[in-house]
Amino acid sequence: MSDNCSEKRCSTSDEASAAKAAVPGVVNVPQWLEDNKGLFHPPVCNKIFHNGFLFIMFIGGPNQRKDYHIECGEELFFMHKGSMVLKIMENGTDAKDVVINEGEVFCLPSRIPHSPQRLADTVGLVIERHRTAGEDDCLRYYVEEGSTEILYQEMFTLKDIEKDLPPIIKRYFASEAHKTGKPQGTYVDVIELRKQPVMKPFSLQKFIDDHRDELNEKGSLSVFEGMENKLVVYSDTTKTLTGWETWLWQWEGKSAVCLPRVPKQTLEKGDSLLVPADTEYTIHADPSSLLLSFQQVLEGFDSQPPL
């Protein structure tokens, strides 16, 4: 497999370090986590990795929460280090604990109340998407665990999860509902809750190993079917792609990425790169490469909606 890039598409400099210096955007995830480990504070513990059409967050612990978040889009969870419990209301009424262990991936469908519970010394990846026009989020508290009776909730337009959630949480703890444990009004499901079972978390590495023949034959492997989340694994292939905003994360081995008007980007293990929407790019994944590609593509949209 050749990793040469077209001269029309990008420079073919062999100096990976020079390319990275010329194009800020290649970020080594383990180093970023080390540099930002002091910023994973309660009550939400989020640190934004990228805030565009994709909301990419790494989240630390400990973080034990009582609030439930409801949104009109999906959320992708991957546990980079340690395990977590995602409390959900499955089918709109059934309290359930979803345990996501280290190395496991889980895709939460839209409109399911969920409350992440994280332990100390853990790190998880969460990917959401930009809200389209008219899509609001809900932060909700139930009267007690397992109950469907709403104690308190607020609707809000999410723009920055690091800034938008804490004031709502603060207002809840100052409210009469929190002090008395009794609702101070009548609440309804402004967002219609999804009534369907959720998938089981699974090991991403085992999934790749179990589908290695397909990956070797096609050079790509789709992890989810029928979801907004498009997680694709590339190996030993050259592909030219375009479309919605894409986050590339080099999981194993090495790849080259060619973008217009910039030097060739060499991704080594742990490196990541954000590709803007509607940008044609070419990936060259080595035989030993496992290059992860993350997108969220909305049904009914021909192209990515504006931010």
Side-chain angles (χ1 to χ4, degrees):
M1 179 194 66
S2 171
D3 70 347
N4 292 328
C5 303
S6 166
E7 289 294 336
K8 293 181 180 180
R9 296 188 53 74
C10 64
S11 166
T12 56
S13 169
D14 291 326
E15 296 295 329
S17 60
K20 291 181 183 182
V23 182
V26 175
V27 179
N28 182 270
V29 172
Q31 186 60 55
W32 185 91
L33 291 172
E34 177 64 24
D35 292 343
N36 290 281
K37 65 182 181 181
L39 301 178
F40 298 140
H41 294 306
V44 181
C45 292
N46 288 337
K47 176 60 183 173
I48 299 293
F49 185 87
H50 171 71
N51 187 358
F53 184 78
L54 294 176
F55 293 154
I56 303 174
M57 301 164 279
F58 283 93
I59 307 175
N63 185 14
Q64 305 294 309
R65 294 167 57 179
K66 297 294 187 182
D67 59 277
Y68 282 74
H69 182 207
I70 310 168
E71 63 186 282
C72 294
E74 296 176 359
E75 288 195 29
L76 182 146
F77 293 80
F78 173 76
M79 283 309 295
H80 179 72
K81 179 183 179 183
S83 301
M84 69 165 290
V85 174
L86 185 67
K87 292 183 175 295
I88 67 170
M89 296 299 285
E90 192 175 42
N91 299 311
T93 57
D94 305 327
K96 180 176 182 177
D97 287 355
V98 178
V99 178
I100 310 172
N101 293 312
E102 184 171 318
E104 290 186 338
V105 65
F106 173 74
C107 188
L108 179 74
S110 62
R111 298 181 283 113
I112 293 180
H114 55 282
S115 180
Q117 313 296 313
R118 299 179 183 273
L119 302 176
D121 198 31
T122 63
V123 178
L125 166 71
V126 176
I127 300 180
E128 303 180 19
R129 64 162 173 81
H130 175 76
R131 281 36 167 182
T132 60
E135 286 187 339
D136 285 335
D137 288 32
C138 177
L139 201 68
R140 169 180 295 180
Y141 293 83
Y142 291 103
V143 170
E144 59 184 10
E145 187 170 346
S147 170
T148 59
E149 185 180 2
I150 303 169
L151 175 63
Y152 181 94
Q153 74 177 17
E154 285 192 32
M155 302 295 297
F156 64 102
T157 301
L158 181 68
K159 295 183 178 179
D160 186 333
I161 199 165
E162 289 182 312
K163 297 178 180 178
D164 295 340
L165 290 188
I168 301 175
I169 294 171
K170 185 176 181 180
R171 286 194 292 271
Y172 164 70
F173 281 108
S175 71
E176 287 299 313
H178 171 65
K179 295 174 183 177
T180 64
K182 296 180 180 180
Q184 301 299 298
T186 301
Y187 295 104
V188 297
D189 290 320
V190 179
I191 299 174
E192 182 181 0
L193 301 185
R194 182 179 293 273
K195 294 179 172 56
Q196 73 172 58
V198 300
M199 65 182 290
K200 292 183 179 180
F202 58 90
S203 166
L204 182 55
Q205 184 63 61
K206 186 177 186 302
F207 180 87
I208 294 171
D209 292 342
D210 290 346
H211 296 81
R212 182 67 68 170
D213 289 345
E214 179 183 346
L215 179 58
N216 291 340
E217 178 184 353
K218 298 180 179 179
S220 63
L221 176 65
S222 294
V223 177
F224 302 119
E225 298 294 339
M227 308 292 286
E228 283 185 359
N229 273 283
K230 311 299 180 186
L231 170 53
V232 181
V233 184
Y234 294 102
S235 182
D236 194 14
T237 191
T238 295
K239 291 185 181 294
T240 298
L241 306 162
T242 190
W244 297 49
E245 185 176 70
T246 304
W247 185 51
L248 302 174
W249 186 10
Q250 190 68 41
W251 223 36
E252 295 289 346
K254 184 167 67 173
S255 299
V257 182
C258 291
L259 295 151
R261 299 179 298 278
V262 299
K264 177 181 69 176
Q265 304 296 288
T266 299
L267 302 182
E268 300 182 353
K269 183 176 180 179
D271 285 345
S272 69
L273 180 68
L274 221 297
V275 180
D278 302 320
T279 300
E280 186 174 293
Y281 62 102
T282 301
I283 59 170
H284 306 278
D286 287 354
S288 62
S289 173
L290 292 177
L291 176 63
L292 307 184
S293 169
F294 298 85
Q295 291 181 321
Q296 286 207 27
V297 178
L298 277 66
E299 185 178 354
F301 285 77
D302 294 330
S303 61
Q304 182 176 300
L307 300 181

